Amino acid sequence: MPTPLTAGSVPRAPRPSRRSVLAAMAAAVPAAGLPVLSGRASAAPAAGALPGGGDLGPNVLVFDPATPNIQGTLDEIFKRQESAQFGEGRFALLFKPGTYRGLNAQIGFYTSIAGLGLSPGDTTFHGDVTVDAGWFNGNATQNFWRSAENLTLHPVNGTNRWAVAQAAPFRRMHIKGGLNLAPDGYGWASGGYIADSRIDGSVAPYSQQQWYTRDSSVGGWNNAVWNMVFSGVEGAPAQSFPDPPYTTLDTTPVSREKPFLYLDGADYKVFLPEKRTNARGTTWGSGTPRGESLPLGQFYVAKPGVDAATLNAALAQGLNLLLTPGIYHLDRPVEVRRPNAVVLGLGYPTLVPDSGATAMKVADVDGVRLAGFLIDAGPVNSATLLEVGPEGASADHAANPTTVQDVFIRIGGAGPGKATTSMVINSNHTLIDHTWVWRADHGDGVGWETNRADYGVRVNGNDVLATGLFVEHFNKYDVEWRGERGRTVFFQNEKAYDAPNQAAIQNGDIKGYAAYKIADGVTTHEGWGLGSYCYYNVDPTIRQDHGFQAPAKPGVKLHHLLVVSLGGKGQYEHVINSIGAPTSGTSTVPSTVVSYP
């Protein structure tokens, strides 16, 4: 993630080497001796059938207010996960409804914390849920893969710190105070995403380069660096891009909140929030959230070590999937063929297609919900990693779309990985609500050809909406949009750091592949708050013609675009097509276009 930035008079921490963190990474260790959740078992299945419900395994830890030494357990998990950026540890920390006092839950890599009530107010901390960057010398740009959900916090000093980068959602949270999005010392920070949350006080992003907030309520917003986007947020600042760079939509066109696990008495259930159109504010501020619940018995509770054939058998049997924390190696795709099927992950379960398969394929059916997991490319090239709908999908899903939420994709970093196209959306009306699709720029198995991945996200379906689209470092197009009537609210991108020379990224007579390309044949498309950065550190002389490429048609409209050269490592000639001033020098000042055309 990017390093240089400016944010008014906020002090800056020294910039560490991009790769200095690697020596400090520690592999996670097993969770022996920690408390284990045992869900209420469901009725015995028919002969030969897979069971629903049951035990959630050793890396799902459930607490109630009477649990002894909660702080000690939280500290132990954090010790294991604080710097384990590419480790194998995965944890979900779940808190039963009640009041907890004097806790500071520090959240490290691959760790999710959540309340088990139906609404955030059911589970209350008089304490903090903290992300900081001490492990990386005060630099928060690599605080990836962690989450907080469904809690009410009374921060000890009045302000909770959540200094995160990509793939770190903050959902269904109520902060009875302020929220600080910067690390201690105000070092580099590059995030982030908030949805369905209420912050009674002000949000202070300080050094955060970009942020997207959706369907929430804030008491104020105190700063902007490059790209702050709001949709459906009560209390959001007025639209003022580019100075300050606020993009504000009164409502979100279509949204449906992420499914979540909760307790109904002694029984575990999964709540499925209903779809909203032109939403504003939280789903839970006026009483019980609207939606439906499924008992845990309707889920196959998967554990690491289970194979794709078993997952597919469970889906074919009519069960949904609850993926518990861990790493799942796949020799074939997980096939989601049933309308309204749910695949929900706890604690960043990670799917690895070892032999070049696609990790997951979804049929062209209504209402599938994919949420809360990571797909890690394997060492053999996969043509795709996630496919929503087959090629040529044509059904209308406007009333009940498929949702892809907090589903993250990674190529390289944890080891060798390759994929030609990471995420392909063929089904019409699909909602992509917060994804980070990342060709790794650091870690193991990283190099221009070593973790080759030409395309990040390709959208072929019509009427697809992306809210919170983070896509970075692909060898060619990061996003390629071919479907009609597509919409994106917030886009964050970096071009690949490691292009060896100008020739390696030459695209016919165009210098460089656009970060976000709308296909020439598209007649209608709209986007708000879109940013692309370059940091060509291998060859700083590389020139990129533009960050965005779009056909010149009346129905293609883009609002609030920016490109940034990070420290002068490469430059953009234009913002979109041949429009917009070039970046120049080492000033790391964005070049902006307020509207296209």
Side-chain angles (χ1 to χ4, degrees):
M1 267 319 303
T3 48
L5 71 156
T6 57
S9 60
V10 176
R12 286 286 157 268
R15 175 183 166 192
S17 164
R18 291 290 302 173
R19 301 181 187 276
S20 64
V21 63
L22 300 179
M25 292 177 185
V29 295
L34 295 171
V36 178
L37 165 65
S38 294
R40 177 172 290 191
S42 55
L50 293 166
D55 189 299
L56 295 189
N59 286 0
V60 176
L61 287 73
V62 174
F63 306 91
D64 64 42
T67 301
N69 194 25
I70 296 174
Q71 187 65 58
T73 302
L74 296 176
D75 291 346
E76 174 64 21
I77 296 295
F78 180 65
K79 180 180 178 181
R80 299 176 185 198
Q81 299 303 114
E82 180 183 12
S83 60
Q85 182 173 177
F86 299 114
E88 297 186 354
R90 305 285 188 274
F91 293 94
L93 312 175
L94 306 182
F95 286 78
K96 293 182 180 181
T99 299
Y100 300 79
R101 299 185 182 277
L103 295 181
N104 180 19
Q106 299 183 81
I107 306 299
F109 286 100
Y110 313 108
T111 304
S112 298
I113 187 169
L116 285 169
L118 191 56
S119 294
D122 296 335
T123 308
T124 298
F125 276 27
H126 289 267
D128 296 83
V129 173
T130 301
V131 176
D132 206 344
W135 73 280
F136 196 23
N137 301 314
N139 180 341
T141 61
Q142 294 181 22
N143 281 348
F144 312 138
W145 306 305
R146 63 199 76 198
S147 66
E149 297 186 49
N150 209 25
L151 296 165
T152 291
L153 306 182
H154 295 260
V156 169
N157 69 355
T159 301
N160 191 78
R161 185 186 303 277
W162 185 254
V164 297
Q166 288 72 16
F170 197 78
R171 291 184 179 269
R172 296 175 57 77
M173 296 288 286
H174 187 182
I175 309 300
K176 298 272 195 174
L179 184 63
N180 181 353
L181 302 178
D184 187 27
Y186 305 100
W188 318 121
S190 181
Y193 176 90
I194 293 171
D196 202 23
S197 294
R198 177 177 175 180
I199 294 89
D200 291 349
S202 290
V203 179
Y206 294 114
S207 53
Q208 284 288 354
Q209 293 159 344
Q210 69 281 315
W211 201 278
Y212 174 52
T213 307
R214 178 182 64 72
D215 298 355
S216 294
S217 175
V218 299
W221 193 277
N222 289 346
N223 189 54
V225 176
W226 292 338
N227 192 28
M228 299 289 166
V229 180
F230 309 84
S231 67
V233 178
E234 297 167 345
Q239 184 162 293
S240 56
F241 186 92
D243 186 22
Y246 294 134
T247 295
T248 303
L249 284 69
D250 286 343
T251 62
T252 302
V254 184
S255 55
R256 188 170 68 186
E257 298 304 329
K258 176 180 171 288
F260 60 93
L261 188 70
Y262 77 103
L263 272 172
D264 182 5
D267 297 319
Y268 286 91
K269 295 182 178 180
V270 172
F271 190 75
L272 308 178
E274 71 174 11
K275 188 188 79 169
R276 299 200 292 170
T277 57
N278 298 318
R280 183 172 174 85
T282 68
T283 62
W284 47 268
S286 301
T288 302
R290 297 173 62 90
E292 62 175 316
S293 293
L294 300 178
L296 191 62
Q298 292 185 19
F299 286 78
Y300 175 70
V301 180
K303 310 290 199 327
V306 69
D307 60 12
T310 302
L311 298 174
N312 286 332
L315 288 164
Q317 186 180 306
L319 293 172
N320 303 292
L321 297 182
L322 188 69
L323 305 174
T324 64
I327 297 175
Y328 297 75
H329 290 275
L330 307 175
D331 63 351
R332 68 194 74 176
V334 176
E335 303 262 9
V336 185
R337 300 176 178 175
R338 178 170 48 82
N340 302 310
V342 180
V343 180
L344 175 62
L346 300 178
Y348 286 85
T350 303
L351 309 180
V352 184
D354 293 309
S355 56
T358 298
M360 186 173 291
K361 294 184 177 183
V362 180
D364 192 25
V365 295
D366 273 358
V368 172
R369 303 186 196 224
L370 310 179
F373 56 89
L374 173 66
I375 297 174
D376 219 347
V380 178
N381 185 74
S382 293
T384 59
L385 293 171
L386 173 64
E387 295 180 17
V388 177
E391 186 176 352
S394 59
D396 186 313
H397 305 294
N400 188 14
T402 286
T403 49
V404 180
Q405 299 179 284
D406 301 348
V407 173
F408 308 118
I409 295 179
R410 177 174 66 192
I411 301 94
K418 292 185 177 183
T420 303
T421 306
S422 293
M423 181 187 294
V424 180
I425 307 295
N426 292 316
S427 286
N428 298 330
H429 302 100
T430 300
L431 299 180
I432 308 168
D433 178 43
H434 190 224
T435 188
W436 184 40
V437 182
W438 185 57
R439 175 181 167 266
D441 63 277
H442 62 272
D444 293 332
V446 171
W448 184 249
E449 297 294 344
T450 305
N451 63 329
R452 182 84 192 188
D454 282 351
Y455 308 105
V457 174
R458 179 176 289 157
V459 179
N460 297 317
N462 296 328
D463 302 288
V464 172
L465 171 64
T467 52
L469 185 61
F470 300 74
V471 189
E472 297 188 298
H473 304 153
F474 285 85
N475 295 76
K476 293 185 178 180
Y477 294 120
D478 298 278
V479 172
E480 190 177 13
W481 208 296
R482 299 173 173 179
E484 286 287 355
R485 297 177 299 281
R487 291 176 291 183
T488 296
V489 183
F490 180 90
F491 170 67
Q492 186 268 327
N493 164 263
E494 282 184 348
K495 297 303 299 174
Y497 292 171
D498 54 346
N501 49 51
Q502 188 75 48
I505 63 163
Q506 193 67 20
N507 181 16
D509 59 356
I510 298 173
K511 295 192 288 288
Y513 289 80
Y516 189 106
K517 179 184 178 179
I518 304 166
D520 293 343
V522 170
T523 61
T524 305
H525 188 95
E526 195 160 12
W528 298 263
L530 315 177
S532 177
Y533 322 149
C534 73
Y535 185 70
Y536 287 116
N537 61 339
V538 175
D539 182 359
T541 69
I542 287 176
R543 311 292 293 193
Q544 176 92 18
D545 265 348
H546 44 236
F548 302 90
Q549 185 177 347
K553 297 180 181 177
V556 176
K557 302 175 182 179
L558 301 175
H559 315 275
H560 304 173
L561 309 172
L562 68 137
V563 295
V564 180
S565 169
L566 303 177
K569 305 292 187 181
Q571 302 289 345
Y572 292 92
E573 304 281 9
H574 304 284
V575 179
I576 178 167
N577 299 346
S578 59
I579 300 168
T583 58
S584 62
T586 60
S587 60
T588 315
V589 173
S591 178
T592 62
V593 166
V594 173
S595 63
Y596 171 87

